[in-house]
Amino acid sequence: MKPPVAPRASGTPAGPCALVIFGASGDLTRRKLVPALYNLARHGLLSSEFAVVGFARREGTTESFRQAMREDIPRHCDCTVDPALWDWLESRMHYVAGDVKEPEGVQRLAAQLAALERDHGTGGNAFFYLATPPEQFGPIVRALDGAGLARESAGKWRRVIVEKPFGRDLASARALNEELRAALSERQIYRIDHYLGKETVQNLLVFRFSNGIFEPIWNRRYVDHVQITVAETLGVEGRGGYYDNAGALRDMVPNHIFQLISLVALECPISFDANAVRDEQSKVLRAIPPLTEEHVLSHTVRGQYGAGRVDGRTLPDYRAEPHVAPRSSTETFVAMRLEIDNWRWKDVPFYLRVGKALPRRVTEIVVQFRRPPFALFRGTTVDQLSANRLVINVQPDEGIQLHFGAKIPGAVMSIGTVDMDFKYADHFGREPATGYERLLYDAILGDQTLFQRADMVEAGWSVVQPVLDVWQALPARTFPNYRAGTWGPPEADALVERDGRRWLTSPVETK
């Protein structure tokens, strides 16, 4: 039976398959994955031969799993839920209780997949989503391999989606890659980064390479520097146990931040083929020189928030958060200055900062261009020229802004800044989305363009590893060193001000 809602999006419906969610009793399933599947069904992008299996250690039945998802979908879906469409999707949801360490649980999963092939026509195709803690990635893949569920045969495909964090450092990332590739080929592994599901992130390639006016100036001759900011207003929100073992550097930089850097800085791929795009991304990451110990001390900043107010709420010291060590040296803020040592970007600084308990929730990329010569304006009332800059807003208001100078009307020569502002919601309308729709759809189609490859993961950790080593050898002695509701420690401002620059945010430039 086909979904009862006609397609409203361009695109080919995905082929027959089953989605198995390991860790299906967790928040990710109800908050992101099931709403994303519902949105795909709304647009007619799921096959009529599609099914879902939730797998978790928690005792439960197919009916209790369906009921839980039914109760949660109105809270986590940004649209009015169509009862007929939800009934169609719910009828394809199943649940298997088990532990991958016990053969009986995996055997029940294998039997369920065989039943779905028979009852729903999934064709024996399956992709496995590991929505579990990272320490379970290896055991799950070994269990799938041992039961023959990872094997592809007779035109039946099998794929595995791995959530971040992908390793804790370079050594563990390499070990995990080796463990996965002992059971799977690289084309079966989909290392997911939900930031790449954002429309603006995906639009970077289109923006750069489909517009003739930007690519010729996208280089060291015209670009002064690039800034990337990922700011959250929230604290750790009950995730202190995880966060105190990870920190801002591990949690965000090797994955989210480096994915954004690679898309901003890559050379034009020869095609949209997944490996053609990822080849160019990998080259960017491998061209970032690892920081020496001296550069770690001068080119990186770490911070930890203290008590303060954000958005009218009072946040306690990070060290006072539940499940956080009273004398924790875990960073909640990171700022870095990096360079890309290639012909396009030599001597162009890339400044990045990421943090919690900051004044505003925003993810954006700022490309600031070089200032033009001032000679023409000598003898006028103009005392300086502002630099043009392009601001790519990734969230929450996805769009692009271009700031440039124009003469203010009147008899006197004076220049004002003009903003050309494009917002996706205003121009194309806002579609309900979780950020996972495109990624799940691509995984079903077998398109790995938006998923990290093993060499990209290891290249990112190679840049981060020297920072981890120095910070571990020299624990921070000034924590907490920024108040919640501010833009991080003063050293972060000094990092860019030493170069004669300053941090930029939009639409309000706040310090």
Side-chain angles (χ1 to χ4, degrees):
M1 182 179 70
K2 293 183 179 180
V5 173
R8 286 189 290 163
S10 60
T12 304
C17 70
L19 164 62
V20 179
I21 305 173
F22 286 93
S25 59
D27 282 348
L28 182 63
T29 301
R30 55 173 53 92
R31 288 191 304 108
K32 299 294 184 181
L33 300 183
V34 170
L37 292 174
Y38 178 81
N39 287 333
L40 289 175
R42 287 177 59 241
H43 292 299
L45 296 177
L46 288 183
S47 168
S48 56
E49 292 85 26
F50 175 78
V52 180
V53 181
F55 185 96
R57 286 178 291 187
R58 181 180 298 175
E59 288 298 321
T61 64
T62 289
E63 182 49 46
S64 65
F65 180 63
R66 290 177 177 178
Q67 181 177 349
M69 297 303 107
R70 186 187 317 134
E71 292 172 353
D72 282 324
I73 189 68
R75 292 196 290 268
H76 302 300
C77 190
D78 290 335
C79 62
T80 301
V81 177
D82 179 88
L85 180 60
W86 173 253
D87 288 345
W88 176 87
L89 183 60
E90 184 186 286
S91 70
R92 281 155 172 72
M93 292 182 179
H94 304 268
Y95 186 78
V96 174
D99 190 328
V100 294
K101 297 177 182 177
E102 300 171 356
E104 296 82 4
V106 182
Q107 289 167 6
R108 286 196 295 272
L109 175 60
Q112 181 67 71
L113 287 173
L116 297 182
E117 184 176 2
R118 181 187 66 245
D119 299 338
H120 291 298
T122 60
N125 302 317
F127 65 118
F128 304 93
Y129 198 115
L130 310 192
T132 66
E135 58 269 19
Q136 295 183 27
F137 294 166
I140 290 173
V141 170
R142 287 197 302 272
L144 292 175
D145 186 41
L149 295 178
R151 255 176 251 135
E152 298 183 310
S153 61
K156 300 176 181 180
W157 54 258
R158 298 293 164 98
R159 297 164 189 152
V160 175
I161 299 180
V162 184
E163 269 280 352
K164 78 172 187 73
F166 199 87
R168 284 183 48 82
D169 51 25
L170 179 57
S172 61
R174 283 175 173 164
L176 182 54
N177 275 332
E178 291 174 4
E179 192 168 20
L180 294 182
R181 287 185 296 195
L184 305 162
S185 66
E186 182 63 33
R187 63 179 173 75
Q188 291 179 277
I189 304 170
Y190 290 69
R191 299 170 187 84
I192 197 168
D193 184 342
H194 71 271
Y195 262 53
L196 294 189
K198 302 288 185 184
E199 285 293 342
T200 310
V201 175
Q202 297 172 45
N203 191 47
L204 275 169
L205 292 179
V206 175
F207 177 79
R208 284 189 55 192
F209 300 119
S210 70
N211 295 300
I213 64 174
F214 292 112
E215 182 56 23
I217 59 172
W218 208 263
N219 55 59
R220 58 185 172 138
R221 183 175 178 185
Y222 298 100
V223 175
D224 178 77
H225 71 280
V226 177
Q227 296 183 17
I228 296 178
T229 296
V230 179
E232 300 179 61
T233 57
L234 300 176
V236 293
E237 295 293 300
R239 297 173 66 238
Y242 161 74
Y243 200 85
D244 208 39
N245 287 308
L249 182 64
R250 285 187 173 96
D251 190 46
M252 296 294 287
V253 176
N255 37 70
H256 297 334
I257 297 289
F258 281 179
Q259 286 290 294
L260 295 178
I261 287 177
S262 67
L263 289 170
V264 170
L266 56 67
E267 297 294 333
C268 184
I270 60 172
S271 72
F272 272 107
D273 173 76
N275 278 325
V277 175
R278 296 188 298 175
D279 283 346
E280 299 304 330
Q281 289 181 274
S282 180
K283 290 176 185 177
V284 170
L285 297 177
R286 286 185 284 119
I288 300 175
L291 300 177
T292 64
E293 292 182 2
E294 293 77 10
H295 280 159
V296 171
L297 298 176
S298 62
H299 287 33
T300 70
V301 174
R302 52 182 158 168
Q304 185 187 92
Y305 67 82
R309 290 184 63 78
V310 186
D311 284 345
R313 298 175 298 109
T314 299
L315 290 182
D317 284 354
Y318 170 75
R319 292 175 175 179
E321 296 275 15
H323 311 298
V324 172
R327 298 186 63 81
S328 172
S329 61
T330 298
E331 77 287 347
T332 62
F333 177 95
V334 174
M336 300 176 69
R337 181 190 192 277
L338 299 174
E339 292 193 3
I340 299 173
D341 192 17
N342 62 16
W343 280 96
R344 182 183 288 263
W345 297 110
K346 177 66 175 173
D347 296 327
V348 175
F350 280 68
Y351 301 102
L352 62 92
R353 60 177 172 173
V354 56
K356 290 188 172 292
L358 301 181
R360 190 155 58 86
R361 176 176 173 260
V362 63
T363 298
E364 67 183 13
I365 302 160
V366 179
V367 179
Q368 178 140 321
F369 296 94
R370 297 189 184 278
R371 283 185 172 87
F374 185 72
L376 172 65
F377 298 95
R378 288 177 186 154
T380 72
T381 58
V382 176
D383 57 359
Q384 66 176 357
L385 297 177
S386 298
N388 304 130
R389 68 178 181 271
L390 186 74
V391 181
I392 301 167
N393 304 111
V394 177
Q395 68 175 14
D397 298 317
E398 296 180 80
I400 299 171
Q401 298 170 339
L402 179 63
H403 303 261
F404 60 94
K407 182 183 179 299
I408 298 174
V412 177
M413 172 60 73
S414 57
I415 298 176
T417 299
V418 178
D419 295 339
M420 294 182 67
D421 194 356
F422 155 70
K423 285 187 171 59
Y424 274 86
D426 293 343
H427 194 76
F428 296 114
R430 186 183 296 276
E431 277 294 335
T434 67
Y436 282 79
E437 287 83 359
R438 172 68 185 272
L439 300 172
L440 290 173
Y441 179 63
D442 283 357
I444 301 173
L445 295 180
D447 185 346
Q448 292 181 298
T449 305
L450 297 178
F451 298 85
Q452 291 193 74
R453 205 168 57 189
D455 59 324
M456 296 167 60
V457 171
E458 294 180 18
W461 279 113
S462 294
V463 177
V464 168
Q465 188 63 53
V467 184
L468 290 172
D469 292 341
V470 172
W471 286 3
Q472 184 175 3
L474 299 172
R477 296 185 179 136
T478 60
F479 283 178
N481 61 352
Y482 72 96
R483 183 168 45 86
T486 65
W487 281 107
E491 292 83 358
D493 292 332
L495 178 70
V496 295
E497 288 169 359
R498 284 198 302 266
D499 295 339
R501 302 180 176 99
R502 62 192 178 97
W503 289 109
L504 303 166
T505 56
S506 67
V508 179
E509 296 181 1
T510 311
K511 294 288 291 244

